[in-house]
Amino acid sequence: MEVRHVQEVSVSGYSTVTNNAAEMSPDKGKIPALWQKFDAEVPVDYRGGERVYGVYYDYESDHTGDFTVLAGFDGSVDKANTKIETITVPAGKYLVFSRTGDMPQIAIDAWTQVWQYFSQTSPEYQRLFTVDFEHYPNGNAIDVYIAIA
Protein backbone atom coordinates (compact mmCIF):
# COMPACT_ATOMS: atom_id res chain seq x y z
CA MET A 1 0.00 0.00 0.00
CA GLU A 2 1.15 3.52 -0.71
CA VAL A 3 -0.06 7.12 -0.55
CA ARG A 4 -0.77 8.75 -3.92
CA HIS A 5 -1.93 12.23 -4.83
CA VAL A 6 -4.32 12.01 -7.78
CA GLN A 7 -5.84 14.49 -10.19
CA GLU A 8 -9.61 14.65 -10.60
CA VAL A 9 -11.16 12.30 -13.15
CA SER A 10 -14.66 12.08 -14.60
CA VAL A 11 -16.20 8.63 -14.54
CA SER A 12 -19.43 7.71 -16.36
CA GLY A 13 -21.58 4.64 -15.86
CA TYR A 14 -24.41 3.15 -13.83
CA SER A 15 -24.95 3.43 -10.08
CA THR A 16 -26.89 1.87 -7.24
CA VAL A 17 -27.25 2.42 -3.49
CA THR A 18 -26.16 -0.43 -1.24
CA ASN A 19 -24.27 -1.20 1.96
CA ASN A 20 -21.63 -3.66 3.08
CA ALA A 21 -24.10 -5.86 4.99
CA ALA A 22 -26.18 -6.38 1.83
CA GLU A 23 -23.07 -7.03 -0.26
CA MET A 24 -22.00 -9.83 2.10
CA SER A 25 -25.26 -11.67 1.31
CA PRO A 26 -25.32 -13.50 -2.05
CA ASP A 27 -29.05 -12.84 -2.54
CA LYS A 28 -29.04 -9.16 -1.51
CA GLY A 29 -25.81 -7.80 -3.06
CA LYS A 30 -26.34 -5.29 -5.87
CA ILE A 31 -22.76 -4.75 -7.05
CA PRO A 32 -22.36 -7.92 -9.17
CA ALA A 33 -25.53 -7.10 -11.18
CA LEU A 34 -24.37 -3.50 -11.56
CA TRP A 35 -21.08 -4.65 -13.10
CA GLN A 36 -22.89 -7.15 -15.36
CA LYS A 37 -25.10 -4.34 -16.70
CA PHE A 38 -22.12 -2.04 -17.23
CA ASP A 39 -20.10 -4.75 -19.02
CA ALA A 40 -23.06 -5.64 -21.25
CA GLU A 41 -24.11 -2.10 -22.18
CA VAL A 42 -21.05 0.17 -22.17
CA PRO A 43 -18.37 -0.30 -24.81
CA VAL A 44 -14.97 0.54 -23.31
CA ASP A 45 -12.13 1.30 -25.74
CA TYR A 46 -9.29 -0.32 -23.81
CA ARG A 47 -6.93 -0.13 -26.80
CA GLY A 48 -7.68 3.59 -27.06
CA GLY A 49 -6.66 4.10 -23.43
CA GLU A 50 -10.03 4.11 -21.68
CA ARG A 51 -10.05 2.49 -18.23
CA VAL A 52 -12.71 1.13 -15.90
CA TYR A 53 -13.48 2.47 -12.40
CA GLY A 54 -15.71 1.57 -9.50
CA VAL A 55 -16.55 4.72 -7.54
CA TYR A 56 -17.94 4.74 -3.99
CA TYR A 57 -19.54 7.97 -2.72
CA ASP A 58 -22.47 9.56 -0.86
CA TYR A 59 -21.52 7.66 2.29
CA GLU A 60 -24.34 7.81 4.82
CA SER A 61 -21.84 7.47 7.65
CA ASP A 62 -18.95 5.02 7.75
CA HIS A 63 -18.43 1.43 6.57
CA THR A 64 -21.72 0.40 8.23
CA GLY A 65 -24.03 2.81 6.37
CA ASP A 66 -25.45 3.05 2.87
CA PHE A 67 -23.35 4.37 0.01
CA THR A 68 -23.65 4.79 -3.74
CA VAL A 69 -21.44 2.78 -6.07
CA LEU A 70 -20.94 3.60 -9.75
CA ALA A 71 -19.53 1.10 -12.25
CA GLY A 72 -18.00 3.26 -14.95
CA PHE A 73 -15.20 4.33 -17.21
CA ASP A 74 -13.22 7.43 -18.11
CA GLY A 75 -14.20 7.53 -21.79
CA SER A 76 -16.67 9.53 -23.81
CA VAL A 77 -20.36 8.87 -23.27
CA ASP A 78 -23.03 8.46 -25.92
CA LYS A 79 -25.42 11.28 -24.98
CA ALA A 80 -28.37 9.26 -26.35
CA ASN A 81 -28.01 6.98 -23.34
CA THR A 82 -29.61 9.18 -20.70
CA LYS A 83 -29.35 6.48 -18.03
CA ILE A 84 -25.58 6.94 -17.88
CA GLU A 85 -24.49 9.29 -15.11
CA THR A 86 -21.17 11.00 -14.52
CA ILE A 87 -19.35 11.70 -11.27
CA THR A 88 -16.11 13.61 -10.76
CA VAL A 89 -13.62 11.86 -8.52
CA PRO A 90 -11.94 14.74 -6.67
CA ALA A 91 -8.23 15.35 -6.71
CA GLY A 92 -6.67 14.51 -3.39
CA LYS A 93 -4.66 12.20 -1.19
CA TYR A 94 -5.49 8.51 -1.30
CA LEU A 95 -4.14 5.37 0.32
CA VAL A 96 -3.84 2.79 -2.47
CA PHE A 97 -4.18 -0.97 -2.08
CA SER A 98 -3.06 -2.92 -5.19
CA ARG A 99 -3.56 -6.51 -6.27
CA THR A 100 -2.91 -8.54 -9.41
CA GLY A 101 -4.34 -11.91 -10.41
CA ASP A 102 -7.76 -13.23 -11.31
CA MET A 103 -11.01 -11.31 -10.99
CA PRO A 104 -13.07 -11.14 -8.86
CA GLN A 105 -10.66 -12.56 -6.25
CA ILE A 106 -8.23 -9.63 -6.52
CA ALA A 107 -11.05 -7.16 -5.77
CA ILE A 108 -12.11 -9.22 -2.75
CA ASP A 109 -8.51 -9.43 -1.55
CA ALA A 110 -7.88 -5.69 -2.01
CA TRP A 111 -11.02 -4.72 -0.07
CA THR A 112 -10.16 -7.26 2.66
CA GLN A 113 -6.82 -5.48 3.02
CA VAL A 114 -8.61 -2.10 3.21
CA TRP A 115 -10.96 -3.31 5.96
CA GLN A 116 -8.12 -4.92 7.92
CA TYR A 117 -6.00 -1.76 7.72
CA PHE A 118 -8.76 0.58 8.89
CA SER A 119 -9.89 -1.86 11.62
CA GLN A 120 -6.60 -1.39 13.43
CA THR A 121 -6.74 0.46 16.74
CA SER A 122 -4.67 3.42 15.51
CA PRO A 123 -3.96 3.28 11.78
CA GLU A 124 -1.45 5.83 10.49
CA TYR A 125 -4.05 7.27 8.09
CA GLN A 126 -7.71 8.14 8.74
CA ARG A 127 -10.36 7.28 6.17
CA LEU A 128 -12.54 10.23 5.12
CA PHE A 129 -15.59 8.40 3.66
CA THR A 130 -15.95 11.01 0.91
CA VAL A 131 -15.12 9.39 -2.45
CA ASP A 132 -13.17 6.14 -2.82
CA PHE A 133 -12.56 4.30 -6.07
CA GLU A 134 -11.28 1.21 -7.77
CA HIS A 135 -9.14 1.62 -10.87
CA TYR A 136 -8.61 -1.29 -13.23
CA PRO A 137 -5.42 -0.63 -15.23
CA ASN A 138 -5.99 -3.96 -17.03
CA GLY A 139 -8.05 -7.13 -16.67
CA ASN A 140 -5.75 -8.67 -14.08
CA ALA A 141 -5.00 -5.69 -11.83
CA ILE A 142 -6.87 -3.47 -9.38
CA ASP A 143 -5.88 -0.40 -7.38
CA VAL A 144 -8.31 0.57 -4.60
CA TYR A 145 -7.97 4.27 -3.70
CA ILE A 146 -9.25 5.25 -0.24
CA ALA A 147 -9.58 9.00 0.51
CA ILE A 148 -7.51 9.91 3.56
CA ALA A 149 -6.91 13.02 5.64
Side-chain angles (χ1 to χ4, degrees), residues 3-144:
V3 173
R4 291 186 197 161
H5 294 272
V6 301
Q7 300 301 313
E8 77 175 32
V9 61
S10 290
V11 179
S12 300
Y14 299 114
S15 71
T16 191
V17 176
T18 188
N19 58 58
N20 286 326
E23 293 307 316
M24 295 298 169
S25 174
D27 59 332
K28 293 181 183 173
K30 297 178 181 179
I31 293 175
L34 180 69
W35 279 108
Q36 288 173 351
K37 178 179 179 174
F38 173 80
D39 289 340
E41 297 181 13
V42 178
V44 178
D45 182 7
Y46 293 99
R47 290 181 187 218
E50 294 175 350
R51 292 296 176 257
V52 172
Y53 293 79
V55 184
Y56 299 79
Y57 57 102
D58 285 345
Y59 286 99
E60 179 181 75
S61 56
D62 56 15
H63 66 282
T64 62
D66 285 354
F67 56 87
T68 303
V69 58
L70 180 134
F73 75 124
D74 60 2
S76 59
V77 176
D78 175 6
K79 296 300 180 196
N81 188 343
T82 56
K83 294 179 185 172
I84 295 269
E85 53 191 289
T86 300
I87 183 169
T88 299
V89 174
K93 187 165 114 176
Y94 294 84
L95 189 58
V96 183
F97 299 81
S98 301
R99 288 280 196 245
T100 58
D102 295 326
M103 288 296 293
Q105 192 59 49
I106 60 172
I108 294 166
D109 292 346
W111 279 104
T112 298
Q113 187 181 8
V114 169
W115 294 324
Q116 288 173 344
Y117 177 83
F118 288 105
S119 295
Q120 296 177 76
T121 304
S122 296
E124 181 179 356
Y125 301 101
Q126 296 302 311
R127 188 171 178 186
L128 295 177
F129 290 99
T130 52
V131 176
D132 304 315
F133 66 98
E134 302 162 343
H135 175 242
Y136 297 90
N138 61 57
N140 293 22
I142 184 174
D143 295 323
V144 177

